[in-house]
Amino acid sequence: MTRTLDVSRDLYTTAQRHLAGGVSSDARRMAGVPLYVDRAAGARLWDVDGNTYLDYVLGQGPALLGHCPPAVVEAITAQVSRGIVYSAQHAAEARVAERLCAMVPSAERVRFNTVGSEAVHAAWRLARGFTGQPKILKFEGHYHGWLDPVLYSVHPPLEAAGPADRPAAVPGTAGQPEAADLVVCPWNDIDALSRLMDEHAGQIAAVVTEPVLCNTGAIEPDPGYLQAVRELCDRHGSLLIFDEIITGFRLAPGGAQEYLGVSPDLSVFGKAMAGGMQVSALAGRAFVMDAISSGKVAHAGTFNSQPIGIAAAEATLRILDEQREEVYGTLYARGRELMRGLTEAAAKAGVPMLVDGPGPVFQTYFTEAPAVRNYRDFAATDRAMMGRLHAALLDQGVNMVPRGLWFLSTAHTEADIADTVEAFSAALNSL
Ligand SMILES: Cc1ncc(COP(=O)(O)O)c(C=O)c1O
């Protein structure tokens, strides 16, 4: 099947005259014509040329309940006529903070921001302000947003990445200053972490990790790994920060910290917490968050707890909390069914492919390796072929994240999963 993209192509050509590169985020660049969405509902997108897609991008994760879940649309609609922006306190922000603290194991206090990158920024500043230590330790392959202090060693070119057990801090873009007070460590390697923390003893304010790595494959921590990270942080007086921007509310009502049974000091949430609206949160232990409560560490933002986003978050979290069995039962069942279907389809086509991840989010890799455990393993998979599969899948009416990541929603039905597996087989055969 080949799509007609005449209207999309015309829009793209016109857009490039005034919109740099024709897109508003580099993550939306594509070989050929990028997706021009006309509307979205449930598990589907319709483009301006009338093509339909089963959507596994879901706005890069936020649409956990599918696109336009009725309860969220209703909450947004009801709020619009009562005010779009207050930049003042309102009752719903406290209710959402209370609900979030009840759902997330380590959350005792919350502050809201707008996007994930901002909440990460707040967490890193708070860690430094609270501990008085200058350095942050991050892991190679982990993404914490696009701001200057954090955009290091996400997917560095291997020739610049340094030794696997002691990676270099590689900037993600031109225009970024030299890394300052940043230590980069391989993930899923407790000996490397222990060594680096000893070398920087008394200087590391926080260790920050995606608790399940979702920006470089979908990689779960080795059994006991995050527990050992927690112990090292305690021994060194460093905070442990979980970046739950993807895993939060997706893997469990209490995020990856509930799913894995490891408690951070601080965590950040975004994406799935507001049904598609832009709300993020920094949450953590009261004794750490007190540095914000007291005004010692600054935290601000014109749009923080903007009432429409908070209304959407309130409606979303109520569903995730009160209907948890149904929501998470569906997400895991559909995810694992799709993982099984894709694995079988690849085996049938004779293509070496690994399908791995928790289920509500998972990754397809073209590799003969039995497992992918960190960035260097990921870099050894055939990423160019994954790019070709992405294009072939779009032609078959399936939209996955181009690097091979799949997000599930509660709106995906068993029939959608079966249709996706069929489309996937056709796409593989077309390569
Ligand atoms: C783990 C993680 N942290 C932070 C961010 C940044 O969030 P945002 O794009 O909302 O700024 C992302 C975005 O994809 C993410 O996946």
Side-chain angles (χ1 to χ4, degrees), residues 218-231:
I219 311 179
E220 302 210 35
D222 288 348
Y225 174 69
L226 285 184
Q227 284 84 351
V229 174
R230 172 78 269 178
E231 282 164 23

Side-chain angles (χ1 to χ4, degrees), residues 115-118 120 143-146 210 215 243 245-246 271:
V115 297
S117 298
E118 252 188 309
V120 169
Y143 178 70
H144 303 295
W146 71 286
E210 292 186 59
N215 280 289
D243 183 340
I245 299 289
I246 288 182
K271 299 205 190 253

Side-chain angles (χ1 to χ4, degrees), residues 325-404:
E325 274 76 28
E326 194 186 330
V327 166
Y328 294 95
T330 303
L331 283 172
Y332 278 90
R334 298 284 184 276
R336 287 178 179 162
E337 182 61 30
L338 183 54
M339 290 171 74
R340 189 166 41 245
L342 301 186
T343 305
E344 284 168 11
K348 210 160 150 195
V351 177
M353 196 178 80
L354 175 67
V355 185
D356 200 12
V361 56
F362 69 86
Q363 172 85 23
T364 43
Y365 311 87
F366 287 120
T367 179
E368 295 191 14
V372 171
R373 292 179 59 251
N374 55 35
Y375 171 63
R376 303 294 168 117
D377 292 351
F378 175 78
T381 66
D382 191 340
R383 291 184 280 171
M385 180 152 163
M386 193 53 67
R388 291 199 295 280
L389 176 70
H390 170 251
L393 276 171
L394 283 174
D395 281 339
Q396 298 295 333
V398 172
N399 187 35
M400 72 163 182
V401 180
R403 64 178 183 273

Side-chain angles (χ1 to χ4, degrees), residues 154-431:
V154 180
H155 293 160
L158 288 178
E159 60 279 10
D165 63 346
R166 188 183 286 276
V170 182
T173 173
Q176 211 181 342
E178 282 296 306
D181 290 328
L182 187 74
V183 180
V184 179
C185 183
W187 200 57
N188 256 336
D189 180 345
I190 201 65
D191 292 339
L193 179 64
S194 177
R195 197 170 51 244
L196 284 169
M197 289 191 82
D198 282 345
E199 282 175 22
H200 298 269
Q203 300 176 71
I204 295 186
V207 171
V208 57
T209 182
E210 292 186 59
V212 172
L213 176 49
C214 295
N215 280 289
T216 291
I219 311 179
E220 302 210 35
D222 288 348
Y225 174 69
L226 285 184
Q227 284 84 351
V229 174
R230 172 78 269 178
E231 282 164 23
L232 277 176
C233 286
D234 291 343
R235 193 179 323 146
H236 284 270
S238 305
L239 298 182
L240 177 59
I241 302 176
F242 277 3
D243 183 340
E244 297 235 35
I245 299 289
I246 288 182
T247 54
F249 306 106
R250 174 165 286 284
L251 298 189
Q257 52 200 274
E258 177 186 337
Y259 175 75
L260 297 166
V262 179
S263 214
D265 300 296
L266 294 175
S267 25
V268 290
F269 298 90
K271 299 205 190 253
M273 71 176 285
M277 286 297 292
Q278 58 278 47
V279 179
S280 63
L282 164 66
R285 296 283 178 217
F287 74 96
V288 183
M289 293 291 287
D290 278 352
I292 286 182
S293 309
S294 69
K296 177 183 174 196
V297 171
H299 174 264
T302 303
F303 292 101
N304 293 358
S305 80
Q306 187 253 25
I308 295 180
I310 289 293
E314 184 164 34
T316 303
L317 295 188
R318 182 181 297 128
I319 293 171
L320 301 185
D321 194 9
E322 294 175 1
Q323 300 172 31
R324 53 179 64 204
E325 274 76 28
E326 194 186 330
V327 166
Y328 294 95
T330 303
L331 283 172
Y332 278 90
R334 298 284 184 276
R336 287 178 179 162
E337 182 61 30
L338 183 54
M339 290 171 74
R340 189 166 41 245
L342 301 186
T343 305
E344 284 168 11
K348 210 160 150 195
V351 177
M353 196 178 80
L354 175 67
V355 185
D356 200 12
V361 56
F362 69 86
Q363 172 85 23
T364 43
Y365 311 87
F366 287 120
T367 179
E368 295 191 14
V372 171
R373 292 179 59 251
N374 55 35
Y375 171 63
R376 303 294 168 117
D377 292 351
F378 175 78
T381 66
D382 191 340
R383 291 184 280 171
M385 180 152 163
M386 193 53 67
R388 291 199 295 280
L389 176 70
H390 170 251
L393 276 171
L394 283 174
D395 281 339
Q396 298 295 333
V398 172
N399 187 35
M400 72 163 182
V401 180
R403 64 178 183 273
L405 192 75
W406 301 68
F407 288 111
L408 271 290
S409 80
T410 53
H412 287 96
T413 64
E414 285 178 19
D416 292 337
I417 301 301
D419 289 348
T420 305
V421 172
E422 201 173 304
F424 188 83
S425 294
L428 269 187
N429 288 330
S430 76
L431 287 183

Side-chain angles (χ1 to χ4, degrees), residues 6-185:
D6 296 344
V7 182
S8 303
R9 192 171 292 107
D10 282 353
L11 283 174
Y12 186 41
T13 305
T14 309
Q16 286 176 85
R17 286 189 205 129
H18 300 288
L19 190 60
V23 295
S24 291
S25 166
D26 288 340
R28 299 175 203 163
R29 289 183 197 275
M30 276 179 200
V33 183
L35 207 50
Y36 270 84
V37 177
D38 180 49
R39 66 191 176 92
R44 282 176 174 70
L45 298 176
W46 288 264
D47 74 11
V48 291
D49 286 282
N51 301 300
T52 310
Y53 305 87
L54 274 164
D55 187 23
Y56 296 93
V57 177
L58 300 175
Q60 296 287 346
L64 183 74
L65 299 171
H67 293 284
C68 298
V72 176
V73 172
E74 206 176 293
I76 292 172
T77 310
Q79 179 58 44
V80 168
S81 58
R82 301 179 57 226
I84 294 171
V85 64
Y86 300 151
S87 238
Q89 287 52 248
H90 53 109
E93 67 179 351
R95 289 197 301 269
V96 176
E98 184 181 355
R99 170 93 68 179
L100 194 150
C101 288
M103 291 172 77
V104 175
S106 70
E108 293 171 346
R109 300 279 188 280
V110 179
R111 273 283 177 105
F112 295 109
N113 276 116
T114 306
V115 297
S117 298
E118 252 188 309
V120 169
H121 177 64
W124 288 32
R125 175 185 288 172
L126 174 56
R128 288 179 167 128
F130 174 79
T131 61
Q133 295 169 11
K135 297 184 181 174
I136 303 282
L137 185 145
K138 86 169 281 281
F139 295 97
E140 192 179 49
H142 292 225
Y143 178 70
H144 303 295
W146 71 286
L147 302 186
D148 279 351
V150 308
L151 190 62
Y152 286 94
S153 299
V154 180
H155 293 160
L158 288 178
E159 60 279 10
D165 63 346
R166 188 183 286 276
V170 182
T173 173
Q176 211 181 342
E178 282 296 306
D181 290 328
L182 187 74
V183 180
V184 179
C185 183

